[in-house]
Amino acid sequence: QFTTRVVSCRAAELRPEGGGEPVPGFQVVLEDTILFPEGGGQPDDRGLIGDVPVLRVTRRGPEAVHFVPAALEPGAEVLLSLDWERRFDHMQQHSGQHLISAIAEQMFGFKTTSWELGRQRSVIELDTPVVTAEQVAALEKSVNEKIRDRVPVTVRELAADDPEVETVRSRGLPDDHVGPVRVVDIKGIDSNLCCGTHVSNLSDLQVIKLLGVEKGKKNKTNLVFLAGNRVLKSIEQSHNTEKALTSLLKNGPGEHVEAVRRLQSSVKLLQKNNLNLLRDIAVLIARDFKSKPAPRQLFVLHRKEGDSEFMNIIANEIGTEETLLFLTVGDEKEAGLFLLAGPVEAVENLGPRVAELLGGKGAGKRGRFQGKAAKMSRRGEVQALLQEFISHQNPEA
C-alpha cells in the first residue's frame, strides 16, 4: 500500500482487451504510484485507489495513467493498494525471462529479439531458426541450477549518457524516454536495461519449466516457459486431469494414451458403420417413395440423425425432374441442415425463401439448394409454402 494524492481526473473510455464495447470511466494521474504501467513486454498491475478498482494502467510520457470506473477528486489524499498476487506472478515471469535469455545466449549464442508475458504462459522469441530438444533440456537444467544457487538480483540507475549503458544488454529505449535509465543485474550472469518489476533473488523464482519450442517468424524460434507459481498451478491442473482420466478410463496414468487410442479406433469404426447404415436407410426411403402407385409432386422428410450426404442420396434415388423434395436433419427444435431439390426453376425460386423461413443460409445450383437452418421448428411453414407453390403450378394436384 502507498499513500499519495490525485493530480488530475478526466472522463475517458477503456477498450476491453478481448474486444467489445468501450467501458466509460476516468483517467487518473497520481503524484506517484506503486502500480506498474504496461511496457517492456510486461502487462500492467491492478489494484485499488481507496475502494475504487484500477482496471488498467498505461504510460503517457513520464506519467502513469490509472483507468478507474468512478471519478476521484483532484487534490484528495488516497490510499493505493496493489494486487500482490498478480504483481508477484509478473515478477517471477519477467525475472525468469531475463535468466533464460541470458543463459540461452551464453550457452548457444541465441539472442532474444522479443518476449511476451501471457496470461497462461510466456514466450521468448529467439533469433535462431532451430532449437533442438537437447538444447532445451540443457538450458532448463542450467537455469534451475542458477535458481538453486540463490543469485541476487539488484536494480540500479545510470545516466542516459553513461558509457556503461553501451555495455548493458538492451533492445533499445522508447522514443519518448527521458531521465536516467534503469538496469537490472543478475549477479555474475546478466545486466539488462529494463523498466519492469523483478524478484530480489533468483531463489524467489522457485523453478522454471521450459514447455518446448514453436515455429516463430522468419528464422525465429519461440521458446515457451512457465516460472514459479505457474509451474505449481500447471502441475495441479495436470494432476486433476490425470485423476479424472483414471476414473473415466479405469486404468493407471501410464495406460491413458493407449486407452484413448483404442477408443478413437472404436469411434472411427462405429462412425463408418453408422454412415453405411444411414446410406442404406436413405436408399430404402427413396425406393419406398418410388414404389407408391401414384407419384407425389412433393416429398417431405425429417430425420434427427443424418447429414448432407444422407439427404443427397435420397434426392439422387428419387430423382428431381418431377418431384420437389424438402429434406431436413437435426434436432427438431434447434439447428440443423436442409436440402431443397427439384425442378431447377422451382428450386431457384423457392430456395432463398426456404432458407429465410428456417432462419438460415444456403446456396445452390442445378436444382439443389442446401444449407444450415437455425429454426427447424418452422419446417411446417416451409411445407405449406411448397404445397402452395405446387397448387399454383398444377391446380389439379
Side-chain angles (χ1 to χ4, degrees):
Q1 293 184 324
F2 178 73
T3 301
T4 185
R5 289 187 183 278
V6 178
V7 173
S8 65
C9 177
R10 64 184 182 89
E13 288 185 335
L14 175 68
R15 294 200 172 275
E17 293 176 351
E21 293 297 315
V23 177
F26 300 86
Q27 288 184 342
V28 173
V29 175
L30 306 171
E31 281 185 356
D32 206 344
T33 185
I34 54 171
L35 300 189
F36 176 77
E38 58 189 4
Q42 180 178 326
D44 54 339
D45 282 333
R46 295 285 190 273
L48 298 170
I49 302 178
D51 58 359
V52 179
V54 178
L55 305 181
R56 185 78 55 81
V57 190
T58 55
R59 187 176 72 86
R60 186 172 62 203
E63 297 176 333
V65 180
H66 309 71
F67 186 90
V68 294
L72 298 172
E73 186 67 30
E77 186 176 86
V78 290
L79 179 66
L80 191 57
S81 302
L82 171 70
D83 179 343
W84 174 250
E85 184 177 351
R86 177 182 172 95
R87 160 68 74 84
F88 187 61
D89 172 54
H90 292 174
M91 289 163 61
Q92 287 186 318
Q93 308 317 308
H94 203 157
S95 295
Q97 177 266 314
H98 278 220
L99 177 60
I100 296 167
S101 292
I103 301 300
E105 187 168 349
Q106 288 173 17
M107 291 180 70
F108 308 112
F110 300 155
K111 292 185 179 297
T112 293
T113 47
S114 68
W115 87 291
E116 179 187 11
L117 199 168
R119 290 175 181 267
Q120 305 295 330
R121 60 183 202 163
S122 298
V123 178
I124 298 172
E125 183 186 72
L126 297 174
D127 190 16
T128 176
V130 178
V131 178
T132 67
E134 292 76 18
Q135 288 172 325
V136 171
L139 180 57
E140 181 178 275
K141 180 181 178 183
S142 181
V143 296
N144 281 292
E145 285 173 352
K146 302 300 183 187
I147 292 171
R148 290 192 295 273
D149 288 341
R150 302 186 297 278
V151 178
V153 180
T154 56
V155 174
R156 57 198 171 99
E157 289 186 351
L158 298 175
D161 58 356
D162 190 316
E164 191 179 346
V165 171
E166 299 300 321
T167 66
V168 175
R169 192 159 58 88
S170 170
R171 294 198 302 275
L173 290 168
D175 293 336
D176 60 351
H177 174 80
V178 293
V181 295
R182 188 166 175 269
V183 179
V184 176
D185 291 317
I186 304 176
K187 188 176 180 181
I189 297 173
D190 185 47
S191 290
N192 197 344
L193 288 189
C194 185
C195 64
T197 58
H198 291 270
V199 299
S200 59
N201 191 289
L202 289 188
S203 62
D204 293 329
L205 298 182
Q206 299 164 279
V207 65
I208 285 176
K209 178 60 187 173
L210 303 184
L211 298 179
V213 294
E214 299 171 351
K215 186 175 177 57
K217 298 173 186 175
K218 187 176 180 181
N219 293 324
K220 310 278 188 184
T221 298
N222 293 334
L223 178 64
V224 185
F225 77 95
L226 304 174
N229 290 333
R230 290 195 182 192
V231 178
L232 301 180
K233 289 178 181 178
S234 177
I235 291 172
E236 182 181 8
Q237 290 171 355
S238 296
H239 183 60
N240 289 338
T241 301
E242 188 177 271
K243 285 197 298 183
L245 286 172
T246 297
S247 176
L248 289 168
L249 299 173
K250 310 299 182 189
N251 60 13
E255 300 169 294
H256 287 172
V257 173
E258 186 55 39
V260 171
R261 284 200 184 106
R262 288 197 300 270
L263 283 172
Q264 286 179 324
S265 296
S266 298
V267 168
K268 286 179 182 177
L269 181 60
L270 288 170
Q271 288 175 333
K272 183 179 179 181
N273 292 339
N274 187 47
L275 284 173
N276 289 334
L277 287 171
L278 279 174
R279 292 188 185 105
D280 292 342
I281 291 170
V283 171
L284 289 171
I285 290 171
R287 288 177 180 173
D288 179 65
F289 174 79
K290 291 169 69 176
S291 69
K292 298 289 190 288
R296 287 173 288 168
Q297 290 180 292
L298 176 63
F299 178 70
V300 177
L301 176 75
H302 173 76
R303 185 179 176 86
K304 186 175 182 179
E305 300 83 11
D307 56 14
S308 295
E309 184 181 5
F310 172 77
M311 295 187 292
N312 277 289
I313 288 173
I314 294 176
N316 291 338
E317 290 289 327
I318 291 177
T320 57
E321 292 80 9
E322 299 177 359
T323 305
L324 192 60
L325 295 91
F326 174 53
L327 311 174
T328 53
V329 294
D331 194 293
E332 292 186 19
K333 295 181 180 179
E334 296 182 12
L337 304 173
F338 74 91
L339 169 67
L340 181 69
V344 174
E345 187 176 341
V347 171
E348 287 180 352
N349 179 18
L350 294 165
R353 295 162 66 187
V354 169
E356 184 179 359
L357 275 174
L358 294 175
K361 293 182 179 180
K365 58 182 178 180
R366 295 194 292 275
R368 298 202 183 183
F369 191 97
Q370 57 190 337
K372 295 181 179 179
K375 301 176 181 177
M376 295 290 276
S377 58
R378 300 184 68 180
R379 295 191 325 278
E381 295 176 50
V382 175
Q383 186 170 346
L385 170 70
L386 301 179
Q387 194 65 61
E388 182 183 1
F389 175 82
I390 290 173
S391 298
H392 280 101
Q393 294 291 312
N394 183 5
E396 297 177 2

